[in-house]
Amino acid sequence: MKKYIYYLITILCFGFLLSCENSASEALIAPYVPANIDENAGSWKTFILSSPTEVSIASPAGTNDPTYQKEIDSLKNIVAPNLTNEQRQIVAYWGAGAVYRWNELARELSARYNSAPAANAEGKYPVPDAANPLADPKFPFANPPYVSRALAYLSVAQFDALVSAWKYKYQFNRQSPSVVDKAIKPLLPVSNLPSYPSEDAVVAQASYVILLAMFPGEGPFLRSKLEECKNARLWAGMNVSSDLNAGVSLGGAVAAKVMVRARADGMGAANNQAATADMITRSKSLGFTTVWTSQESPARPPMLPTFGNVKTWNFDRATLEAIRPAIPYIEGSAEFKKDYEELVAIDKNQTREQAAIANFWADGPGTYTPPGHWHRYGANAGFEAKYSEVRMARMLAYLGTAEMDAGIGCWDTKFYYYSPRPQQYGLKTSVGLPNFPSYTSGHSTFSAAGAEVLSAFFPQKTSTFNSYAQQASDSRVYGLIHWRLDCTMGLKHGKAIGQYAVKRASQDGAL
């Protein structure tokens, strides 16, 4: 009976998770209508672009121009009643918003690739090869740091490209096809937002470029989604071809600039295993008699030991080191003993609620990890608030950069102290065995950073987001993955990291 109740709680948790993930599907009955089109977004400060007009696009033909009229006539032959049911479903799917859907796809890919390489016959763990992504093991291994980085670059590219798009929309001020010609009956709501360049095409192309770089084995899948997103705008009667072509040009060019930063941010050196010897020496010099070691058999090299050296977004290296959490409790201290005894008590008498929380927040292999978990919360909150495309991208960009900064800060801390995990003291876990040092908790750091950013954007949900962060943090104690100190200090560290993103957002010109 107890086992039945335990599984029931776990299933209910997963049901809630899936209902959050699929919240947009209900909106397909009533198409998504932003509460505000953010006419002034073309003046918002960007992350990578020096100005919204750094990338130029051609001036569009006027609505009386024969070339444009020919596009209008072509569109009339595409829109209903000539669409198939499948085409209508695709229109409805993308009607939830291009930013929303491309972030959803990014999380799907993250979960698909979140599988650690298995040991080969020689007892070694081969490293995924970006040049041969579909070989065994597949590239990438989408672990939490990798996912945080992929989502950050995706959202930054979407945001910068949309700010630029908004600037050009109001500069050229070409209205939507159905406004120009009343004979066109669009399948989605039409606002006063100018149609050139197409915001959906901007997002689609920018997303395609970033996600192809992050998941290079997914070219056919990503190309199919790119074409689907663009076609949906034609089938819905929302854009003519030149709107889409301009969007593709702009989105691709902005994403290329974002990728310049990505190629130089230090990620290529984030798996430097040679650096661990000095890390262990430093840990022992700080007083640790036991340092972290892999508990797998055969022993697995630590995950991305130098990810802490990757370039941050919202503060510099000096700040990263200044806010690094203080040294954790040393084995043998009274504080260490207290944390150990708490885990022993949980191990002997774990409650059903604790087990359910530990499993709900596990975010292990086959999931989109804690950063993806928080991006889902952000995307759904933006959807419920009826954010415009550019405002949705803005929120996710600050969330994404905070999550990546949290990953960098946490990994810097983990490998600075190289502290041992509870499993090295005989404690077992049922929710996975992380392959990196204990202090601080990644779940706690990612979650506190996410809660801090999302609370700034959705202050009415502050208590909800903070409770999620606390529960995510507690889950690692309940799952016997972390010492309590790992989690309390991770929450504190993540909150501080999130505050830097919030401060940056307050200075970008958006209201």
Side-chain angles (χ1 to χ4, degrees), residues 279-288 291 416-419:
M279 294 171 176
I280 292 170
T281 298
R282 178 177 58 215
S283 178
K284 291 180 177 178
S285 74
L286 292 171
F288 290 92
V291 298
Y416 186 84
Y417 296 113
Y418 229 86
S419 66

Side-chain angles (χ1 to χ4, degrees), residues 363-483:
D363 284 342
T367 75
Y368 39 62
T369 80
H373 204 139
W374 283 92
H375 268 261
R376 191 192 75 244
Y377 283 149
N380 286 343
F383 187 89
E384 291 168 7
K386 298 190 179 299
Y387 271 7
S388 68
E389 288 287 79
V390 67
R391 190 167 289 273
M392 177 75 89
R394 174 178 177 261
M395 178 268 295
L396 290 173
Y398 287 108
L399 174 62
T401 55
E403 290 292 287
M404 182 174 167
D405 284 354
I408 294 168
C410 182
W411 255 245
D412 166 78
T413 303
K414 284 179 178 295
F415 287 95
Y416 186 84
Y417 296 113
Y418 229 86
S419 66
R421 282 193 171 272
Q423 285 64 49
Q424 294 173 247
Y425 297 85
L427 293 161
K428 306 297 182 182
T429 175
S430 61
V431 291
L433 188 62
N435 195 55
F436 36 81
S438 194
Y439 182 81
T440 52
S441 157
H443 272 60
S444 303
T445 311
F446 284 125
S447 296
E452 190 71 11
V453 173
L454 293 182
S455 294
F457 280 88
F458 310 101
Q460 73 280 10
K461 294 178 177 288
T462 296
S463 61
T464 298
F465 290 131
N466 286 338
S467 69
Y468 289 167
Q470 185 64 58
Q471 190 180 81
S473 181
D474 289 342
S475 77
R476 306 312 272 174
V477 176
Y478 299 155
L480 307 177
I481 290 289
H482 277 287
W483 313 103

